[in-house]
Amino acid sequence: MTGMWQTIGHNKAVSSLARALGEARMAHAYLVVGPPSVGKMTLAMDVARALNCQGDMPPCGACTQCTRISNALHPDVRLVELETDDRGRLRTAISINQVRDVQREASLKPYEGRSRVYIFDGADRLQDAAANALLKTLEEPPNQVVLILLASAVESILPTILSRCRRVDLRPVGVEIVADHLVQHYEFDPHKADEVARLSGGRLGWAIRAVADPELLEQIGQQVEAVERTVQSGLESRLEYAAQLATRFTRDRADALGELDVWLGWWRDAMMVEEGTPELVRNTSRMSELGAVADRMDKRSIAEAVRSVGRAVELLERNVNPRLAIEELMLAIPMPQPVRQ
Ligand SMILES: [Zn+2]
């Protein structure tokens, strides 16, 4: 592998991109797919640097081009993301105007670099008109332009867009890679690093945020407790919880999806305990609670719970009515049986 790639742990993706770059056969459009905070943006920025780097081994990370890209000062590298509305709330989709701005600019020669790079953060959140406009650019890509589309799920992406992008899948990296990074770069003690790395589920960006913001860990703790309370509770409080979470979803999608991610992690943990592999548990501080649930449920019910959470996330990402999706989840989560004698 050559160059100073800042992407950590996605060696296959990096070496394949580095090879394409070395052999001058980069695609005009990439679709990078992976869960939130897994490293999609870091990889996209690496590609932007690599395409414009003046060093011998791109991306060198040190030349003027690399530095200006890293500092978001490079006029040829643009980020297209969800904008906020007049009331300061994040819009739910990337608009056609944003795509048109890109198209106008993309037809011009790069100002100072070799390539114009447009990074679409949320390619799964394009308005229909925006997606169709983007398709035109993908069908006839201008020279010296590379589009990098980032998405956490491919289900909401038009097949015609999918078929015109070279796809790069990023999966969570090994927990030990995350832990090692926290020890090396953030002077974490190994025990704490291991705890945060497990909680991150192999998403380095999440772990780095948790390092910078201790409140995030506290918040996760509270969410885990809410999950445990809800699992133990009856139908009425479950539906109350569903209504609450649905309201939060309408206000702040990412926040509510984050909480469902906690649900998913917790049920996967229960499965690990049930299967006798507690060393794979994410929520290491909840071993006794997880053990109690594993004692009171069989493997099939736990597996059903894991599937149900996954299905709810999928429905929400497809813009199904959030209250319905979360209520369905609450009904599908099995009630724990009294302790077996
Ligand atoms: Zn460079």
Side-chain angles (χ1 to χ4, degrees), residues 292 295-297 336-341:
D295 275 348
R296 292 166 66 191
M297 280 190 193
Q337 299 304 307
V339 181
R340 287 189 294 248
Q341 295 299 318

Side-chain angles (χ1 to χ4, degrees), residues 25-59:
R25 42 171 196 81
M26 289 291 281
H28 275 291
Y30 287 90
L31 173 64
V32 186
V33 184
S37 308
V38 80
K40 302 187 291 294
M41 182 63 79
T42 307
L43 184 67
M45 293 296 283
D46 269 337
V47 171
R49 279 185 287 265
L51 283 165
N52 286 295
C53 179
Q54 298 159 321
D56 292 334
M57 291 210 284

Side-chain angles (χ1 to χ4, degrees), residues 184-203:
Q184 302 291 330
H185 296 266
Y186 296 89
E187 294 170 359
F188 254 48
D189 85 82
H191 180 76
K192 182 82 185 155
D194 180 64
E195 192 186 328
V196 173
R198 280 166 185 258
L199 270 177
S200 79
R203 294 166 304 156

Side-chain angles (χ1 to χ4, degrees), residues 141-321:
N143 282 330
Q144 301 168 303
V145 170
V146 174
L147 300 178
I148 307 176
L149 279 50
L150 315 182
S152 49
V154 289
E155 286 77 16
S156 347
I157 298 181
L158 285 181
T160 39
I161 288 193
L162 277 178
S163 69
R164 282 179 175 79
C165 296
R166 198 176 291 170
R167 185 161 157 184
V168 181
D169 284 293
L170 299 188
R171 294 181 213 299
V173 303
V175 164
E176 61 296 340
I177 293 176
V178 176
D180 195 45
H181 188 80
L182 296 184
V183 172
Q184 302 291 330
H185 296 266
Y186 296 89
E187 294 170 359
F188 254 48
D189 85 82
H191 180 76
K192 182 82 185 155
D194 180 64
E195 192 186 328
V196 173
R198 280 166 185 258
L199 270 177
S200 79
R203 294 166 304 156
L204 184 59
W206 190 95
I208 290 172
R209 262 212 321 282
V211 170
D213 177 11
E215 270 178 29
L216 183 61
L217 290 179
E218 207 168 293
Q219 191 192 337
I220 298 288
Q222 285 164 5
Q223 288 176 334
V224 169
E225 281 169 25
V227 168
E228 287 168 354
R229 260 197 318 276
T230 312
V231 170
Q232 301 296 338
S233 70
L235 194 55
E236 199 179 332
S237 11
R238 285 187 180 197
L239 293 181
E240 235 167 71
Y241 172 86
Q244 228 181 59
L245 189 56
T247 311
R248 275 172 49 205
F249 181 83
T250 330
R251 277 204 310 263
D252 183 351
R253 249 178 107 94
D255 167 56
L257 285 173
E259 182 144 328
L260 283 175
D261 191 53
V262 170
W263 275 88
L264 194 59
W266 193 85
W267 280 108
R268 280 194 184 137
D269 282 354
M271 183 56 104
M272 295 307 155
V273 173
E274 175 80 24
E275 292 203 315
T277 49
E279 67 279 7
L280 297 177
V281 162
R282 265 198 207 183
N283 297 284
T284 42
S285 63
R286 316 302 297 175
M287 288 310 272
S288 62
E289 289 80 0
L290 291 164
V293 165
D295 275 348
R296 292 166 66 191
M297 280 190 193
D298 58 13
K299 205 164 150 178
R300 233 180 48 199
S301 312
I302 297 176
E304 179 52 33
V306 173
R307 267 196 303 276
S308 303
V309 183
R311 195 160 54 227
V313 172
E314 220 181 284
L315 289 173
L316 288 171
E317 274 166 353
R318 274 196 254 142
N319 283 324
V320 171
N321 178 320

Side-chain angles (χ1 to χ4, degrees), residues 69-88:
I69 293 169
S70 302
N71 295 333
L73 294 172
H74 199 293
D76 298 321
V77 177
R78 293 245 192 246
L79 182 58
V80 183
E81 57 191 343
L82 297 178
E83 293 178 329
T84 47
D85 65 15
D86 302 339
R87 287 149 72 194

